[in-house]
Amino acid sequence: MRGPLLRDVAQQAGVATGTVSNVLHNPAKVAPETLARVQAVIAELGYVPNAAARQLSRGRSGSVGLLVLDARNPFFNDLAAGVEEAAGSMDLAVLLATSAERADRERLYLDRFEQSRVDGLLVTPVGGSVKQLKAIRDRGTPIVLLDRLATTPGFSSVAVDDIEGGRLAGQHLVDVGCRRIAFVGGPVTLEQVRNRLVGAGRAAEAAGVALSHLATTRMTADEGRRVGSEIAAMPRRERPDGVFAANDLLALAILQALTLAGIRVPDEVAVIGYDDIAFAALAGVPLSSIHQPSYQMGRRAMELLAATMQAGGDSRTASQQVVFMPELAARASTLRYGTRVRPANGVPVEPLA
Amino acid sequence: MRGPLLRDVAQQAGVATGTVSNVLHNPAKVAPETLARVQAVIAELGYVPNAAARQLSRGRSGSVGLLVLDARNPFFNDLAAGVEEAAGSMDLAVLLATSAERADRERLYLDRFEQSRVDGLLVTPVGGSVKQLKAIRDRGTPIVLLDRLATTPGFSSVAVDDIEGGRLAGQHLVDVGCRRIAFVGGPVTLEQVRNRLVGAGRAAEAAGVALSHLATTRMTADEGRRVGSEIAAMPRRERPDGVFAANDLLALAILQALTLAGIRVPDEVAVIGYDDIAFAALAGVPLSSIHQPSYQMGRRAMELLAATMQAGGDSRTASQQVVFMPELAARASTLRYGTRVRPANGVPVEPLA
DNA sequence: CGCGCGAAATGAACCGCTTCACACGGCGTG
DNA sequence: CACGCCGTGTGAAGCGGTTCATTTCGCGCG
């Protein structure tokens, strides 16, 4: 039941195996009529090259591994699309895997990738596997860290400035007149959460506005609903008049809980999220959010990786850190009547449709 | 710069290559102390097996290919998660790719998968590549079609009954008192859209209710907004009092457009979507939808594929069609005050093979 | 004491392709 | 006319594992 081999094609066409190989990869090096004949035989026999054999003899896989935290998160989907796009134009295949934020799965997939001899690796690290990453890199596989600033020297990375993102969100709430801001998110073991909180804190402090932190155990809709109801249940004068949620899923759930409780958004409470997923703009009250150029980040990361791969063979190239700036996408959930908002850096403010 | 090979490990540990291979795959066949010694050397040298070489000599890849239409669609994310879960428990790796509904990409990835000698293939066909799929199957790779009933004999498939889903949605709108229903979606070249429309048509007809079709060119938020505004702009007596959108993205956009235009949902217009994505329940007015057991579909498809793979080697097994039943998820966007809705039928029905 | 047996280890043959040193005319050039 | 070169082909030597028939050895048993 095994299919025809390259040597079967060669025999059938009356040429050497090397010639068939050339027909496949260097058509220019083959005389026109030979080429035609061989191609005909290939079609006739239904020959399908064996990728494993090719990889083995070539010594390169022609693919890169992409390990993300959560395949269901739109942010990572966009990121992956960007990577794929860039990889495609370089004739590289992308192997995608999800760690689901679990260290054991991260280890598993990193192992698999290394065994597959990927030419490069793009990783959003769960954390804790720095050692393994170093080992892989030291064995010769270029690695670019994603969505996390490389603290460890020797790694390149593409990330977005979460502190600045937090600051933007906090400043925006201040700008629309909030005096008691609540930051919702957690666990703080997540670097992103910490940084966004820090950024918001700076903006609040600078404006002399109070900032509280309502912790969540995870960033899910359930947790958002819970916190939303808690906020709604607070006595009016203690209640925050501005909520900054660490991601859009939380924000949307909070928004819903508040609305259901009869609290007017943005008049009584302004709400802003983070990530600017497609559904943010689709909410009943369109949700303000912090936009990250996820697609571009993916592209850029892949380009950076490619550069490292080129140089990587022999020279120890300096690592690069690319930091993207997040942007404010202001929508109805924060834009109170009569508020005037300074346009954020470059970004079109989108008031109601 | 090349890493240590299996034979280096063997030499260093003073054993034959076969023994090292056994240490890796049949530890039970190796004497305890030899095992320990070899493992120590492996760790010391940082030996990483070469997957290509292993695959070449074993003749199997230990992986399956999964080709979906759209990686950004939550439905496919869930499906993929189900596949991955099932595959994981069978020690199979999943290679994921997106055709983006483009026939050329479908061809490309099918080729790649076949060249990688995947042990099986799960495909949501774009359409038009039936021929290629047949060829691949005839060359010996088991294939299970996803989210589409296999019309071609000889293919197994896992799908959901879209006609029934359409009927459920239509019936629900009838049940909550709608007399003029609009179906929104397109293009009708998509089988799913056609079937949902047919199902809705049956329910409407049976109840003697009018059903119109507002066509869209694509199922995107933009198109939803457009149609939503059009509906809002209609004179009241012509306006539908129930809208069934072919997916949730459309539905959410319509919902938003109606709300923004000051039309009360569900009182003036009831809205129901399809897919029951996570964000449906998070909308300002929680969106009713038709739920598909995407995760289970993924699991089941993988199991079906595994069964085919087992049998596939020699016997020509009968193909199986598994059809899941969609379920109504009734929420605020259709539940008018005082309406009584018959509970939807309980459990997914799987007709046996 | 000789024999058979199972546990442990061996190592050469293969898996299917790419590569590359080399062969073989035919042709323009000095 | 001899030479070198170029356009075409050739085919054997790897690439790095797995497999399996075979060898080795210690031990219980008649």
Side-chain angles (χ1 to χ4, degrees), chain A residues 70-82 295, chain B residues 71-74 77:
Chain A
D70 175 12
R72 297 158 114 136
N73 183 155
F75 173 73
F76 289 113
N77 285 330
D78 291 348
L79 195 86
Y295 188 83
Chain B
R72 298 157 113 136
N73 184 155
N77 286 331

Side-chain angles (χ1 to χ4, degrees), chain B residues 15-19 30-31 34 56-57:
Chain B
V15 297
T17 61
T19 301
V30 179
T34 312
L56 183 57
S57 53

Side-chain angles (χ1 to χ4, degrees), chain B residues 253-268:
Chain B
I254 292 171
L255 189 59
Q256 188 184 49
L258 292 178
T259 309
L260 247 49
I263 294 176
R264 283 166 300 136
V265 176
D267 306 291
E268 292 179 76

